[in-house]
Amino acid sequence: MFGKILYYDKKTVGEYTSLITGKKQIEVSEYEVAKGKGIGVDFSGIKADASADKKYTAKVTESALYDCNEFEALLEKKKEGEDYFDFTESSEFELKTVPRGSIIKIDANISIPESFDMMQLVEQFKPFLISAMQNQTADENEQSALESLISGANASKIPVIIDSNEDILLCSKLNKDLLTIDIQEFVDTDEEVTILARVSSRVIEEKKPFFDPLKDFLSLNRAARKSIDSKNKSIEPIKVDEDYRTLDVLAIYR
């Protein structure tokens, strides 16, 4: 697999790896090389003196692509159809009936609703918006509420619609901090990608939104969300036009 990782949830992949192997993960940051040898690592690329008495400290280079490939190899050793379904290799499964909690691998096209662009702008220009409001002569209580609202805006969750040409549409909310490329480069991705993910829901009716800006962007509690006019198009929940399932995405690469 010579690809490019776009998104990687290292923590969750590590936890799932432990479940598969039955062993807790040990994170190694450095190796000590003595007499030209290192435990469990090929140090053939390191030149050692003939005396072989020197010690070398070798730092481990992080590689999301390597870790992802190792995780997939572990999944492939499991009996396919039991907690793991590879739709890139077989079409005998139905995505609609895959058990919740299973891990799937699919090739798909991803899209991000345009309304997320506005959320990014609001977060980016928060200081300017708050400063502008402080210069207004509006009611003090109303002004304070608006400032608090904008201060809490956080576009860390990215709404994603995933079309795999299977029997059902998929939706997810990605963690922006887990992207391995620039957010704008990710938003502009227009080619098919490979996705490794955990199925996190049963089939959901199209009328139910998969992303609510009041909750996922402004972080308002239930009472506050109910008090805001739901007809305001700028904060309208994001829906799709057909039934769907949700995913917890582990990795995206191309």
Side-chain angles (χ1 to χ4, degrees):
M1 179 179 74
F2 294 98
K4 179 179 180 180
I5 292 283
L6 310 182
Y7 180 93
Y8 187 62
D9 187 345
K10 178 181 177 180
K11 181 177 182 296
T12 304
V13 169
E15 290 174 349
Y16 290 171
T17 298
S18 294
L19 286 177
I20 295 173
T21 61
K23 299 177 182 179
K24 290 186 177 181
Q25 292 294 101
I26 299 175
E27 186 170 341
V28 179
S29 60
E30 293 182 349
Y31 291 97
E32 186 177 87
V33 190
K35 296 185 178 180
K37 297 181 180 180
I39 300 174
V41 176
D42 180 10
F43 286 95
S44 58
I46 299 177
K47 293 182 179 179
D49 290 344
S51 62
D53 290 331
K54 292 187 176 181
K55 291 184 179 181
Y56 302 85
T57 298
K59 291 187 177 180
V60 179
T61 302
E62 291 286 336
S63 174
L65 190 61
Y66 177 85
D67 292 343
C68 185
N69 189 55
E70 288 285 289
F71 180 56
E72 284 190 33
L74 287 173
L75 290 171
E76 289 168 3
K77 289 180 181 179
K78 294 170 63 66
K79 184 178 179 181
E80 196 167 34
E82 293 183 0
D83 301 328
Y84 176 59
F85 300 83
D86 186 351
F87 287 88
T88 67
E89 296 292 339
S90 175
S91 58
E92 64 181 274
F93 310 117
E94 290 187 356
L95 192 51
K96 185 180 290 186
T97 59
V98 166
R100 183 163 62 99
S102 301
I103 292 177
I104 62 171
K105 180 181 177 182
I106 55 172
D107 291 329
N109 290 294
I110 58 176
S111 61
I112 299 172
E114 292 183 1
S115 56
F116 181 69
D117 295 341
M118 181 57 67
M119 298 178 205
Q120 287 195 93
L121 283 174
V122 170
E123 183 180 39
Q124 183 178 356
F125 291 101
K126 274 197 297 187
F128 300 99
L129 293 172
I130 293 173
S131 178
M133 279 187 279
Q134 290 172 344
N135 295 326
Q136 298 297 319
T137 58
D139 177 82
E140 186 175 335
N141 290 332
E142 180 181 344
Q143 187 179 42
S144 177
L146 287 172
E147 287 180 19
S148 177
L149 190 67
I150 293 178
S151 295
N154 187 347
S156 61
K157 294 181 181 179
I158 309 171
V160 175
I161 300 170
I162 302 166
D163 185 2
S164 62
N165 292 318
E166 294 291 337
D167 55 331
I168 193 166
L169 195 66
L170 302 167
C171 297
S172 184
K173 291 183 283 191
L174 305 183
N175 185 338
K176 186 168 69 174
D177 293 338
L178 300 181
L179 289 176
T180 62
I181 59 174
D182 179 76
I183 176 64
Q184 196 54 53
E185 182 183 350
F186 182 77
V187 170
D188 293 338
T189 299
D190 59 359
E191 60 185 285
E192 189 175 69
V193 295
T194 299
I195 299 174
L196 199 63
R198 172 183 175 274
V199 179
S200 56
S201 78
R202 296 182 174 85
V203 177
I204 301 173
E205 294 183 358
E206 62 180 89
K207 63 182 180 181
K208 185 174 181 179
F210 77 93
F211 187 94
D212 184 353
L214 297 180
K215 176 183 177 182
D216 298 314
F217 173 57
L218 296 177
S219 303
L220 298 181
N221 59 36
R222 186 181 302 179
R225 296 199 301 270
K226 286 183 178 181
S227 68
I228 294 179
D229 186 3
S230 61
K231 294 182 181 180
N232 188 325
K233 298 298 181 181
S234 64
I235 54 173
E236 192 173 50
I238 299 176
K239 302 178 181 180
V240 288
D241 56 6
E242 57 185 278
D243 293 350
Y244 64 96
R245 300 188 76 175
T246 59
L247 301 179
D248 293 331
V249 176
L250 304 175
I252 301 175
Y253 60 87
R254 62 185 177 199

